[in-house]
Every structure is written in C-alpha cells, then in structure tokens.
Amino acid sequence: MEAVRVALFVACYNDALFPGTGRAVVRLLERLGHRVDFPAAQTCCGQMHWTTGYRREAAALARAFTGVFDGAGAVVTPSASCAATVRASYAGIARAAGDPALAEAAGRLAVYELTEFLVDVLGVTDVGARFPHRVAYQPTCHALRGLGVGDRPLRLLASVRDLELVDLPAAEECCGFGGTFAVKNADVSVALAADKVRHVRATSADVLCALDNSCLAHIGGALSRLHAGVRVAHLAEILAGPEEG
Amino acid sequence: MSGAVPPAGTPPPPPPPPPRFADAAREALADPSVRRGLREATSAARAGAAGAVADSADWEELRAAGAAVRDRTLLDLDRYLEELEGAVVEAGGTVHWAVSAADAVRVVAGLVRAQGESGAAVADAPVLREIGLAGGLAAAGIAVLDAGAAAAVAVTGVDFMVAETGALVRSGGDAAPAPSAALVAVAGLEQAVPAWRDLEVFLQLLPRASGAGRTAARTVVWSGPVAGDGPAACHLVLVDNGRTRALADPVGRTALRCIGCEACLNVCPVYERTGPAAYGPGGAGPIGAVRVPLQRGVRGAHAASLPFASTLCGACADVCPVKIDLPGLLVHLRGEVVEARRDRPVPAPELAAMRAAAWTLAEPRRYEAALRRGARWGRLLARGGRIGRLPGRLGKWSDARDLPAPPAQSFRAWWGRR
Ligand code: SF4
C-alpha cells in the first residue's frame, strides 16, 4: 500500500504523562511504511472541560483543535475518548456556543482512533508484532460505546505473535474513571475500580491493555496500590514492540 | 416548653435539604446490604431485558418509533392534555392538576378523606415515588396499605394516558388495584399519548426494556367509572412538578420521552453500587439524575450534584427504549450547573482551576512550560516510580490509587529532539 501521511494527535495527558504511547504510535506507523507529522501547535481537545460543564472553555479548545488540524487529512490518536469527543461532542459544543462555523470545521476533520485507522484505513490486522505475555483487553466505554470500535482491537491482538489473549469477566462494565468523576465522586469511582481489579485478578493476565491511558491509569493505579503484579499498557505499545536503545 | 411546640395549624418546618450525591453515596457504599440486594435485582432485570430485546428483530425500529411519537406529543402537549381532560370528563372521571409534588400529595390525601377513609391501597410507580406519595400520605395521617389490599380507595400510577379516548393504561405491576369506591390514578403530564394506536409501540417497548418479558403479564385499562362494576369514582391527578420547566429547555425536553421502564437504572454501574437512596427524593439512576435538576433547576446543592453522579459510560443510552441520550443530557446539565455558578462574586476554586487550565491549554507555549513544571513537581512527589499521595483535592485520587511518576521527557520534547 502507498505511504499515507498521518497527523498525530497525541492527546495532552499522553503528551505529559504517557509519552511512551505517542512514541509507540510513531514507531508502529513508520514501521508500516507511513509518514507521521506532529502538528506542534496541538494541545487538548477540550474533553475534560466539556464533560465537567465548562462549555465556554471547551469551545475555545475545540476551535483551537479544529484550527490546528484543518486540512490535515487523516488525524490519528491513541485516545478513544478524545476521538469520541471530536467526532461525537464537537457538534454539541458548537451548538452550546452558538458557533455553526465550529460545527462545520469539526465536520471537515477525519479523526481516527488508532485501531480504527489500522483496520479500516490501512486494512491491516497483522502489524508484525511479537509480545510473549498473557494479555487481557479492557474495552473502555468511549472505545466500546462512544466509537463502536467493536472487535478491531481484538483482531489486532490476535495477530500478535506469542501473545496469549485471556478473557476479562464483565469486561464491558465501566472501570469507574469517568474523568473528573474520579475525584468528584471518588468513593464510587474507587468502588468500581475495586470490582474491575477483582475481575482482572481473576484472569491469569500479566498485562491489561486498552485504548485509553486515562482509564488504564485509574485501574493501574489501583492494581499498583495492591501490588497485584499485573501491569497496564496501551495497546499501541504492544503493537509497536519494544523501543530500541 | 411551650416555645418548642408550634401552635396548632402551623405547617411543620420544611425538611432539611437532601445531602449531595457524593456524601449520600459514601454512606450507601459503607452498607454492604445495599449492593448485595441491588446486584441481584438489577442483574435479573438486565438479563430479562437483554433476552427480550435479543428476541425482537425489530427492536431498533420500535425504539425509533417510540422516540418519534414522544417527540411529536411533547411538541403539542398542551393540546393533547386538553383533549385528554375532555375525554376523561366525558367518560365520567375527574381531572385534578397538581403544580408541585406537594400539591399532588395534598390532592390525593383530600380525595381519600373525601371518601371518609383514613387509609388507601397504594401501588408502586415511578411517579408516586417522585412525588413521595407514601411518605406524604403517612405524614398526613393516612394509612398506606398494600397495593393488593381490599380498600375503598386505591392510588396507582398509570403508564400511559390516551388523549383521544381518556383511557388510562397500566402495563405490568402487581395485582390490579380493585377499590370499592374510588380509583385515584396519578400521572406525569408527559405520559399522554395521542391515540390508542400509539400504544402498540409502547406496550412492546415497556415490558421488554423493563425485563418483564415480550409483553406484560397484565395490562390494565381504565376508561372511567362503569355503573355496577368497579369503583364509582375515577380521579386522574396530573402532575407537573417541574415538567413544564423541563419542556422549556430545548435540549432537556427529550428527557420527558421517558416511559419509566427503569432499564437505565438496571444497567447503571453507579446505581448498582449506591442504590436509589443516594440520589435523594425525586428519582434515581441516570434518568433521575437528569430529571430532578431539569425539573427543579440547578441552584440547590442536591439537584446540582446529580448530573455529576455518572461516569458517562453510556450503558444507559444503549438500553433506553425511547433513545434518550442520557450521557448527553447529563453533560448538558453539568453545563447548566457551571453556568449558574459563574456569576458568583467569588469564583469557586474549581472554576478558577478550570479557567486556568483552559488558559494554559489555549497557547502551545504556555502549555509546554506547564508540562515542564508538572514534570518537576511530579518527580518531587514520586517514590519508586509511583506517586502515592497528591496534594489538595487531587488527594481524592491518591487515597486509593497510585499515579505513575511523570516521565523525564514529554512526548513533544522527544519529538522535538528526534
Ligand atoms: S430514561 Fe429510558 S431507560 Fe431510563 S427509565 Fe426512562 S425510558 Fe427507561
């Protein structure tokens, strides 16, 4: 297939806290023969402000986002929740702000979550990866219900050599992160995490993967506090393989 | 002593406002019986609903049809309600309009007393819970009897009111109330449907979504008093209780499509752990968290806390038989809460923090500087690669969860050096 030019939206929390995920996306797409750009003016899609009720701030960030990625072609992000925000919430943000130009600008964008881009646009499920571990997959709410990524992540994982995919019980139940919910309703959030951790520990997985580092930080933070011996990893890091040097 | 006793005839002082959701939820979580009881009930209803929906090849068409009938009805609700009142009166019934929940309780209590009774059989229904009927009647000195009890007066909720004919329909539920003297039916304004044929869709949607089966085991239709058969009097109490306020909100009004199936409660992970009581009076689960602030406004601390009582996981929207975008409405109401607080003379700490974050994120150079500052702070807080304790409100995070130590280099710093 011909080389595709991809604009990477890394997502602000990945940029700051999980840069390894961004590096993995770059490594993976370049290994597959494509070209990755990183528009340096990007910051945040506005998701946290929007879902916490800060409409004006979210609108300002959404305008900046559409400005940065206007005309960029395929925009790829390793954050299902950010992809869902741009695709599903920007229209609402524009409506609340009384800004039809923002809705139009959002309509012109082509934002893909990484697994959607791999499977639907590039048409690959075997990315040539090897990962000799037992892995469970957590379908995060934004990936599952927000974007409807379906079995794309599982198909990609099934093609990874030496990877043993294990079933996660009650996988489709929310882990309890929910953005600012994790702090505003910390008790309920932790109660949900406790159940998720119980289900993860009932598997024999060494690694729990997902398409959102935010949810993984929440589940992983509880696993770490319990010294559960299961680590979390973004799916991109499994598909990209280890970093050199 | 005499000073502590209010003079006769003085209404009791208003009850204290209900606690905010987070506080009530904390208490509910500490009670293991809440969760145990709910898990069984919700998972049985969930499984029932999933089975009935899987058996309905036309489920998506039914949902779309139900949503469309509701939207059409809500747009012209005043006309349908007028038609309904005319039809009920024509059939020999009486219609009472209640502006608030307290009005509705007063009307019902008055109807019971007017029959010379000091007790009534009371069924369970979402609208009766919303207005707090059982508690209100008890406080008014009226004994609340089981729905199936033999009584002169029975109070029930209805699911649908047919504007064209005045028929009142209850789908499912326990034994049909069979009062000897008077039936008191209570309904929210939005429960009107234009015509009998519109029921076809709803009588399929409601039992399936609620987990009762493909069709309800029992559907009861009242069409006014019939000489020599059943109660001599039929009363319909139409409850507004903020519904007209909700109708005035073009985004929020879609919440009034609700048919009270409670499917959204049964799939809600938050509801399953906290139970109905944590949401306070007026309604529980995702739809309660939407309707209470929508119908009462968001100025009170309790109502303002409800839109935040959700992770926005979206499970509710997937099952709602009338396709209410519950997460979208929760976000809409969060926006209303924040807007209502913007004009406070002293900005809340959260508003200040959110503004500062947006200001930082609006400018790549400010954002880059903040990334560098954050990494320095993070390294100071980290022990062994994890942060176990965060300062301030973020301590709520670190009470039970570690945070990975921030990396030495942000993604963009790495990209810039590559
Ligand atoms: S909002 Fe939808 S799912 Fe929830 S009770 Fe109403 S109709 Fe049922």
Side-chain angles (χ1 to χ4, degrees):
Chain A
M1 142 168 228
E2 231 178 279
V4 177
R5 254 184 102 141
V6 175
L8 170 64
F9 173 61
V10 75
C12 56
Y13 65 96
N14 283 327
D15 191 356
L17 294 172
F18 309 102
T21 298
R23 296 196 298 269
V25 175
V26 174
R27 200 156 70 244
L28 173 63
L29 292 174
E30 289 183 346
R31 189 176 74 216
L32 293 171
H34 306 291
R35 200 175 134 194
V36 181
D37 290 330
F38 179 74
Q42 65 179 272
T43 60
C44 170
C45 69
Q47 172 180 198
M48 178 187 72
H49 285 90
W50 173 244
T51 59
T52 313
Y54 293 83
R55 295 170 179 162
R56 301 175 201 181
E57 290 78 6
L61 292 169
R63 282 185 205 106
F65 184 99
T66 53
V68 169
F69 289 102
D70 193 30
V75 180
V76 174
T77 181
S79 167
S81 63
C82 299
T85 297
V86 178
R87 282 192 348 220
S89 299
Y90 271 22
I93 294 176
R95 208 176 312 119
D99 184 351
L102 172 58
E104 267 167 48
R108 285 196 300 271
L109 298 175
V111 175
Y112 301 93
E113 184 284 322
L114 176 67
T115 67
E116 296 175 321
F117 185 72
L118 292 171
V119 175
D120 301 350
V121 181
L122 300 183
V124 288
T125 45
D126 184 350
V127 297
R130 176 175 172 271
F131 193 76
H133 299 280
R134 276 191 300 268
V135 176
Y137 167 69
Q138 162 68 42
T140 59
C141 301
H142 278 109
L144 177 75
R145 288 178 280 263
L147 295 174
V149 299
D151 65 354
R152 291 177 184 84
L154 294 173
R155 283 157 66 196
L156 288 157
L157 285 168
S159 308
V160 175
R161 273 164 273 298
D162 302 329
L163 181 150
E164 187 191 332
L165 193 59
V166 299
D167 249 3
L168 178 65
E172 299 192 351
E173 182 169 79
C174 178
C175 70
F177 169 65
T180 48
F181 179 85
V183 177
K184 280 176 179 282
N185 277 288
D187 301 276
V188 186
S189 176
V190 168
L192 284 161
D195 285 334
K196 186 58 77 183
V197 161
R198 186 164 51 78
H199 291 310
V200 171
R201 295 179 89 174
T203 70
S204 54
D206 328 306
V207 177
L208 178 72
C209 76
L211 306 177
D212 283 282
N213 276 327
S214 46
C215 306
L216 282 177
H218 167 77
I219 307 170
L223 285 165
S224 155
R225 182 63 58 86
L226 297 169
H227 305 288
V230 182
R231 73 186 171 89
V232 296
H234 192 286
L235 184 76
E237 293 169 36
I238 294 176
L239 298 181
E243 289 181 272
E244 279 161 31
Chain B
M1 190 67 210
S2 65
V5 180
T10 305
R20 294 180 315 130
F21 178 81
D23 298 327
R26 191 173 311 117
E27 273 185 39
L29 287 169
D31 179 352
S33 65
V34 171
R35 174 84 204 281
R36 211 176 313 118
L38 276 167
R39 190 162 34 194
E40 276 164 36
T42 59
S43 61
R46 215 157 47 211
V53 167
D55 282 348
S56 313
D58 55 349
W59 181 245
E60 286 309 318
E61 285 97 81
L62 281 172
R63 289 176 89 197
V69 173
R70 274 301 207 223
D71 286 348
R72 179 159 56 79
T73 314
L74 291 172
L75 273 180
D76 258 332
L77 192 60
D78 40 358
R79 183 161 68 76
Y80 290 117
L81 289 173
E82 235 173 83
E83 192 184 345
L84 172 76
E85 180 175 30
V88 169
V89 170
E90 176 87 1
T94 313
V95 177
H96 311 260
W97 299 81
V99 173
S100 66
D103 278 347
V105 173
R106 252 195 308 276
V107 168
V108 175
L111 290 169
V112 177
R113 284 205 199 93
Q115 293 290 332
E117 294 293 318
S118 60
V122 177
D124 180 49
V127 67
L128 302 185
R129 264 175 271 145
E130 174 193 329
I131 61 173
L133 184 75
L137 288 183
I142 291 171
V144 175
L145 311 174
D146 253 21
V153 183
V155 187
T156 183
V158 296
D159 295 307
F160 305 102
M161 312 176 283
V162 181
E164 197 181 36
T165 64
L168 308 178
V169 182
R170 207 185 77 170
S171 160
D174 322 322
S180 56
L183 177 81
V184 180
V186 183
L189 302 182
E190 81 287 10
Q191 290 176 268
V193 297
W196 187 257
R197 64 174 178 278
D198 296 315
L199 284 179
E200 188 193 321
V201 165
F202 295 117
L203 293 182
Q204 295 180 72
L205 288 172
L206 180 54
R208 292 177 202 188
S210 65
R214 271 185 76 79
T215 49
R218 173 188 300 108
T219 298
V220 190
V221 181
W222 290 282
S223 316
V226 181
D229 181 29
C234 250
H235 295 273
L236 173 62
V237 182
L238 286 172
V239 182
D240 183 334
N241 196 27
R243 284 164 173 79
T244 41
R245 175 186 202 137
L247 276 172
D249 177 341
V251 179
R253 77 161 68 108
T254 51
L256 295 185
R257 287 181 193 162
C258 179
I259 57 172
C261 70
E262 307 203 326
C264 59
L265 280 69
N266 292 326
V267 297
C268 177
V270 174
Y271 175 82
E272 184 181 318
R273 279 147 190 97
T274 63
Y279 295 83
I287 187 65
V290 165
R291 287 186 63 162
V292 172
L294 201 56
Q295 293 176 207
R296 289 203 196 143
V298 295
R299 296 261 165 200
H302 163 248
S305 74
L306 290 177
F308 298 92
S310 165
T311 64
L312 306 179
C313 81
C316 48
D318 274 6
V319 297
C320 176
V322 283
K323 301 180 78 158
I324 300 175
D325 175 16
L326 290 153
L329 290 175
L330 289 164
V331 169
H332 167 67
L333 286 158
R334 290 176 183 192
E336 297 293 292
V337 171
V338 169
E339 287 303 320
R341 288 177 180 171
R342 274 191 204 270
D343 49 15
R344 288 188 180 168
V346 182
E350 183 186 284
L351 174 59
M354 285 289 187
R355 273 192 186 138
W359 181 80
T360 305
L361 290 165
E363 211 327 290
R365 266 195 317 259
R366 289 200 288 264
Y367 166 72
E368 277 168 37
L371 284 186
R372 286 193 294 272
R373 264 198 316 278
R376 275 203 302 277
W377 273 106
R379 280 197 295 280
L380 287 174
L381 292 166
R383 298 269 177 284
R386 318 291 297 175
I387 298 176
R389 190 185 262 159
L390 288 164
R393 271 208 88 186
L394 293 176
K396 293 263 190 201
W397 173 281
S398 55
D399 283 348
R401 290 154 287 193
D402 289 338
L403 198 69
Q409 167 170 263
S410 68
F411 175 82
R412 71 180 53 224
W414 170 81
W415 179 271
R417 276 185 206 129
R418 148 182 216 255

